[in-house]
Amino acid sequence: MSYNIMSSKAEDFINDEEILETLEYAEAHKNDKALIESILNKAAECNGLNHRDAAVLLCCDIPEMNKKIEDLAKEIKLKFYGNRIVLFAPLYLSNYCINGCTYCPYHGTNKHIPRKKLTQDEIRREVIALQDMGHKRLAIESGEDPKNNPLEYILESINTIYSIKHKNGAIRRVNVNIAATTVEEYTKLKNAGIGTYILFQETYNKKRYEQLHPTGPKSNYAYHTEAMDRAMDGGIDDVGCGVLYGLGTYKYEFVGQLMHAEHLEAAKGCGPHTISVPRLRAADGIDPNAFPDGIDDETFAKIVACIRIAVPYTGMIVSTRESQKSRERVLALGVSQISGGSRTSVGGYCEEERPEDTTQFDVSDRRTLDEVLKWLMEMNYVPSFCTACYRAGRTGDRFMSLVKSGQIANCCHPNALMTLKEYLEDYASPETKKVGDALIQKELLTIPNPLVRSRCEQYLKEEVNGKRDFRF
Ligand code: SF4
């Protein structure tokens, strides 16, 4: 097996030898100021970096160059995402799972955790609670169990979620994080109107992967790693990748992650829509300290900055696994999407008290959505619930070309302001509304196109009078 970016075989496009050579090269040049300077100059053109150059930046240990890396990441973040931060919430449908993932409380041999699967009525109640919080975008999560959570259950649940319109509420985009499956089943998901198909690689290191996945269908490394290819073959345009940092050595995972993105771009014509950067967290029967490759906040921030520089057009997601402090740090460096007011138990949004019995991981950021929005706006970020591109068919390579040309900014900012205004009118606390309305007035002036600005202003007025769902 040799490295082949175009191959459909996992061990070719995520080639162990290529990763090890890349890391050797990066280690050998981590103090090579001239090389690092030239890589930063190339990256400043905003066309991204290949995994080798990006690895040199990740390994760089020259403080002044690391400062330049951070500054460039911030610059690229502002150029493509401005000060907008997209919000979503996870909804766990079922924790029945037949896999044996040693880092997840849902693994099939965990007899301690109560098993739960939401009925369609329960999903209805959860979605109404999420809509009453102000959410418009969900990521549904489920264990892998063909008997308890067959694809039909997932498809019916997606349909239920889209069908609920409570007061001014609506879930306008449903992203799906379920196990690797067949091209035919991905086509069914596509036809059900999903947004992004999300699948975490967990680790790109095959040997480590097989240690962590001793049983169940997920133990097949190649089938799991080639899932995004099958998803795109099934017609899904937007895919979301990610590794679980703390399972394998972070430098190996970083290079694997970028090679996967390069492969999808080269072989399928479009890189990942999003990259998530979760870190292993405590959970029922799971002690992160038992895993030797945990990373500290500084290393985590460096990874985020280097991914931002390497793949400028790919959204980056951080969940409530991260604390407020850690999220604040990585928002500036590259993160464009966060969850807010999350419950990682199966259901649980209808309950006053946060249920802890079926959680997939311990949540660090336990604030309400309203608190998260006020916090973002006080840092001059514009919270966005925008789903316009997905609903206008601006997905996959069509979306990427708009991002690369910068045209998308004419849509993103006014759309963010209008979805924020909906939140302020329907769900915000008085304090959050006050901060939000002032921010919208200020941000309106930053919309470059005068026609778009005046139409956006008009739509905002109509939202005060009760109209909803404007978008460019
Ligand atoms: S990580 Fe996913 S597949 Fe593995 S045990 Fe947990 S829910 Fe199941």
Side-chain angles (χ1 to χ4, degrees):
M1 277 153 301
S2 58
Y3 177 43
N4 175 359
I5 193 173
M6 296 303 287
S7 167
S8 60
K9 289 197 169 26
E11 290 176 69
D12 295 346
F13 64 77
I14 307 289
N15 183 265
D16 181 57
E17 211 179 310
E18 169 63 16
I19 296 180
L20 297 178
E21 275 173 25
T22 297
L23 292 176
E24 205 180 310
Y25 169 78
E27 281 301 314
H29 290 88
K30 66 182 179 185
N31 298 313
D32 185 338
K33 213 170 160 186
L35 173 67
I36 293 165
E37 199 75 80
S38 71
I39 293 172
L40 285 173
N41 292 339
K42 191 191 317 181
E45 293 160 19
C46 295
N47 299 317
L49 289 176
N50 64 37
H51 59 273
R52 280 197 172 223
D53 287 342
V56 174
L57 297 188
L58 184 71
C59 295
C60 166
D61 62 1
I62 309 169
E64 96 208 49
M65 299 314 281
N66 280 335
K67 175 76 177 61
K68 286 190 176 181
I69 292 169
E70 278 211 7
D71 292 347
L72 181 58
K74 291 176 181 171
E75 230 177 273
I76 291 175
K77 163 77 195 300
L78 279 178
K79 178 177 166 67
F80 289 99
Y81 304 89
N83 58 346
R84 294 176 300 280
I85 302 293
V86 172
L87 274 297
F88 75 97
L91 175 59
Y92 285 75
L93 299 180
S94 169
N95 68 350
Y96 283 94
C97 192
I98 59 173
N99 287 308
C101 314
T102 58
Y103 50 85
C104 174
Y106 294 173
H107 67 82
T109 50
N110 181 354
K111 300 302 175 218
H112 181 258
I113 195 166
R115 299 292 171 172
K116 191 175 173 188
K117 168 187 169 180
L118 299 179
T119 65
Q120 297 307 314
D121 277 349
E122 286 170 328
I123 291 173
R124 184 173 296 281
R125 285 198 291 279
E126 294 292 327
V127 170
I128 287 172
L130 283 155
Q131 288 183 2
D132 287 350
M133 287 162 69
H135 276 296
K136 298 280 187 292
R137 306 162 55 104
L138 295 187
I140 59 174
E141 316 266 348
S142 171
E144 179 170 16
D145 183 328
K147 191 165 110 289
N148 285 296
N149 340 315
L151 188 76
E152 288 61 39
Y153 167 70
I154 304 293
L155 297 174
E156 186 186 4
S157 304
I158 294 168
N159 191 38
T160 298
I161 293 167
Y162 279 136
S163 71
I164 302 161
K165 304 280 186 282
H166 185 247
K167 298 178 186 163
N168 280 334
I171 300 301
R172 296 172 179 154
R173 184 183 176 125
V174 176
N175 298 338
V176 173
N177 185 344
I178 60 170
T181 187
T182 63
V183 174
E184 294 68 33
E185 299 220 329
Y186 285 128
T187 302
K188 289 181 185 165
L189 280 170
K190 168 73 181 177
N191 297 339
I194 75 164
T196 308
Y197 170 64
I198 300 165
L199 183 70
F200 291 167
Q201 176 65 27
E202 317 298 8
T203 172
Y204 282 99
N205 184 310
K206 184 169 185 291
K207 197 154 155 277
R208 183 73 178 129
Y209 183 97
E210 286 163 354
Q211 286 166 352
L212 294 162
H213 303 93
T215 57
K218 192 172 174 179
S219 61
N220 182 330
Y221 174 85
Y223 188 74
H224 187 79
T225 311
E226 295 158 8
M228 292 307 191
D229 289 53
R230 293 192 304 277
M232 288 182 158
D233 292 346
I236 294 178
D237 299 316
D238 294 346
V239 298
C241 298
V243 295
L244 184 53
Y245 283 96
L247 295 183
T249 54
Y250 77 91
K251 290 176 180 170
Y252 192 106
E253 304 305 347
F254 173 85
V255 176
Q257 179 68 81
L258 294 183
M259 284 166 71
H260 201 177
E262 287 166 11
H263 161 68
L264 293 173
E265 175 100 31
K268 300 295 173 184
C270 184
H273 187 72
T274 58
I275 289 178
S276 300
V277 282
R279 284 195 278 183
L280 186 63
R281 287 285 179 242
D284 183 82
I286 308 295
D287 172 10
N289 302 320
F291 295 79
D293 297 308
I295 54 173
D296 61 22
D297 289 355
E298 265 326 292
T299 307
F300 181 62
K302 180 88 181 273
I303 291 170
V304 169
C306 293
I307 292 177
R308 177 44 63 227
I309 291 173
V311 282
Y313 326 118
T314 298
M316 289 185 72
I317 300 180
V318 153
S319 75
T320 52
R321 283 172 186 266
E322 293 301 321
S323 66
Q324 172 178 343
K325 183 165 161 285
S326 166
R327 295 202 317 163
E328 205 159 307
R329 178 115 168 71
V330 293
L331 279 171
L333 293 171
V335 166
S336 55
Q337 206 176 121
I338 64 171
S339 52
S342 305
R343 303 258 162 128
T344 61
S345 48
V346 177
Y349 287 104
C350 301
E351 292 158 45
E352 200 53 41
E353 277 307 300
R354 174 190 294 272
E356 303 286 1
D357 59 344
T358 60
T359 54
Q360 194 187 32
F361 58 82
D362 281 2
V363 168
S364 301
D365 188 347
R366 293 173 166 245
R367 294 170 297 164
T368 65
L369 179 62
D370 197 72
E371 289 164 337
V372 168
L373 260 67
K374 187 162 173 283
W375 163 72
L376 286 172
M377 295 191 287
E378 283 166 348
M379 293 189 294
N380 200 42
Y381 288 111
V382 175
S384 172
F385 297 90
C386 182
T387 56
C389 281
Y390 153 70
R391 296 194 288 160
R394 298 191 295 251
T395 55
D397 53 357
R398 289 177 302 290
F399 173 78
M400 286 298 178
S401 57
L402 288 169
V403 177
K404 290 176 182 175
S405 65
Q407 280 175 48
I408 200 76
N410 290 326
C411 306
C412 296
H413 216 55
N415 285 342
L417 297 181
M418 296 185 299
T419 59
L420 172 59
K421 186 61 177 167
E422 288 181 329
Y423 177 88
L424 299 175
E425 291 299 313
D426 293 333
Y427 309 107
S429 64
E431 307 75 32
T432 300
K433 183 169 184 342
K434 192 158 167 262
V435 175
D437 283 333
L439 179 74
I440 288 178
Q441 287 317 310
K442 186 164 68 75
E443 290 294 326
L444 254 179
L445 306 174
T446 69
I447 297 174
N449 178 318
L451 265 182
V452 173
R453 193 183 324 127
S454 66
R455 272 179 56 201
C456 180
E457 208 160 0
Q458 179 52 36
Y459 289 154
L460 290 167
K461 288 195 184 108
E462 292 183 44
E463 286 185 327
V464 174
N465 302 327
K467 285 252 180 82
R468 292 291 175 269
D469 204 10
F470 294 106
R471 57 187 186 270
F472 289 91

